[in-house]
Amino acid sequence: MFAAERRQLILEMVRANGAVSLRELARVVQTSEVTVRRDVRALEAEGLLDRRHGGAVLPGGFTRESGFPQKSHLATAEKTAIADLAANFVEEGEAIVVGAGTTTQELARRLARVPGLTVVTNSLLVAQALAHANRVEVVMTGGTLRGSNYALVGSGAEQSLQGLRVSRAFLSGSGLTAERGLSTSNMLSASVDRALVQAAAEVVVLADHTKLGTDTMFQTVPTDVITRLVTDEPPAHDDRAHTELQALADQGVQIAVAGASGASVGDEVPARRQQRALPGPRRGPSGSGPGLRPAGAAVLGEQGAERERARVADLRRR
């Protein structure tokens, strides 16, 4: 494929989806990420798109929200790996809330195997994924159907969540930054997500690496309220995503990184020791404190986490 054809296809994908990762662009145009990055730079120089944290977005600052058909085909391998790992943080007999999104839909498919689970959701897609799970109770909010993401929004949804208390909320969004936290492009969705957060003792954010460092219009979860981030491993060249992960860890967010191959493994993003302590108690799990607890401790056990820390330290010395 000639450069002009590649760049036209890249531009069409970005216009259709609002934001596309370099990895996904390379897969579609069947070339390397290095070549795609060069094409994206050329298109940016013409003012046709903006480069953003390992991907390309529509020009003009904040990204717009893509519809469900477009989102469902973006970063599918990453979402699968994230959902596999996130499912390990759900225990038998728990009551949780699961927000709307394609990544949370993937999580719901895995939760169908957790006995005694109660799932509160405003997402028709999450409810559908759990509809035939024999030992999972699904509780849906009220509200008005928002067709672009099959979610219930509005005052009816928010009022149905009043007085509710669950152990964890699993949420996704359009962007995540250490400075502002989780955000989305739609005001109604943001308002319901905030109500979901109020109902939960812990907040777990599911976000693939393309959303790291991306900021959108409406804040849903401030950084100091996020207990844990479940994400995938950013490409080695994506310095901004790695920087954002470190900044999130420095603010006390526990980082769980899913294996690049799709296997669910824990990795650690250590918090810098020089960072000041955050004021007020964190809403993390009992005994976790404000620092970062490696995801491997939850998935592999404390001894496995210790071995993993030793392995990482050894690699760094080399």
Side-chain angles (χ1 to χ4, degrees):
M1 185 181 295
F2 294 110
E5 295 174 326
R6 278 199 321 269
R7 291 171 187 177
Q8 182 60 35
L9 181 55
I10 290 170
L11 187 58
E12 290 174 358
M13 287 183 65
V14 174
R15 284 173 174 170
N17 298 293
V20 187
S21 70
L22 291 177
R23 187 181 300 174
E24 186 72 10
L25 289 172
R27 185 187 67 80
V28 172
V29 301
Q30 297 182 339
T31 188
S32 68
E33 288 188 32
V34 173
T35 301
V36 166
R37 193 178 300 109
R38 188 163 53 242
D39 291 335
V40 168
R41 286 198 189 101
L43 291 167
E44 183 183 43
E46 297 178 35
L48 298 173
L49 51 74
D50 290 339
R51 287 184 295 159
R52 180 75 62 81
H53 316 303
V57 302
L58 290 174
F62 295 115
T63 58
R64 70 172 176 84
E65 184 180 35
S66 304
F68 172 78
Q70 291 81 27
K71 288 182 179 179
S72 62
H73 293 96
L74 292 175
T76 52
E78 291 86 346
K79 292 174 183 176
T80 298
I82 290 168
D84 285 341
L85 180 52
N88 287 285
F89 299 113
V90 180
E91 300 177 1
E92 180 177 338
E94 271 194 297
I96 63 173
V97 295
V98 179
T102 52
T103 310
T104 50
Q105 180 189 24
E106 286 296 322
L107 171 63
R109 290 174 176 144
R110 287 143 184 84
L111 297 182
R113 302 188 292 267
V114 181
L117 192 64
T118 300
V119 177
V120 180
T121 185
N122 70 319
S123 169
L124 298 187
L125 299 176
V126 168
Q128 182 184 43
L130 295 167
H132 300 293
N134 292 329
R135 292 185 289 176
V136 177
E137 181 178 1
V138 179
V139 179
M140 295 207 67
T141 68
T144 302
L145 178 63
R146 185 165 179 261
S148 61
N149 65 346
Y150 301 95
L152 297 171
V153 297
S155 60
E158 295 170 38
Q159 289 172 12
S160 66
L161 293 165
Q162 291 180 3
L164 181 72
R165 193 63 172 167
V166 298
S167 58
R168 294 181 182 87
F170 291 85
L171 298 177
S172 188
S174 302
L176 177 65
T177 66
E179 179 181 0
R180 196 157 170 256
L182 189 67
S183 61
T184 188
S185 303
N186 181 265
M187 181 173 62
L188 294 175
S189 295
S191 186
V192 173
D193 282 353
R194 285 193 288 268
L196 292 171
V197 167
Q198 290 297 318
E202 297 178 19
V203 178
V204 181
V205 170
L206 312 183
D208 64 76
H209 74 273
T210 64
K211 297 177 181 178
L212 297 176
T214 298
D215 199 3
T216 52
M217 289 186 69
F218 300 99
Q219 183 192 58
T220 56
V221 189
T223 305
D224 62 353
V225 177
I226 299 172
T227 307
R228 177 180 283 115
L229 165 66
V230 185
T231 187
D232 63 297
E233 179 68 36
H237 58 77
D238 193 349
D239 294 336
R240 298 185 74 170
H242 285 286
T243 299
E244 204 69 47
L245 275 180
Q246 183 63 67
L248 287 162
D250 291 344
Q251 294 199 36
V253 178
Q254 300 171 45
I255 312 293
V257 181
S261 65
S264 295
V265 297
D267 202 358
E268 179 181 1
V269 179
R272 293 191 180 96
R273 296 179 185 274
Q274 291 78 10
Q275 291 293 321
R276 64 179 177 84
L278 293 173
R282 297 254 334 165
R283 294 199 302 168
S286 176
S288 63
L292 172 69
R293 179 168 177 246
V299 181
L300 304 175
E302 294 295 338
Q303 291 182 350
E306 188 63 34
R307 289 195 297 270
E308 181 65 14
R309 285 194 291 270
R311 183 185 69 82
V312 172
D314 184 62
L315 289 173
R316 286 173 178 166
R317 285 194 295 272
R318 295 179 187 176

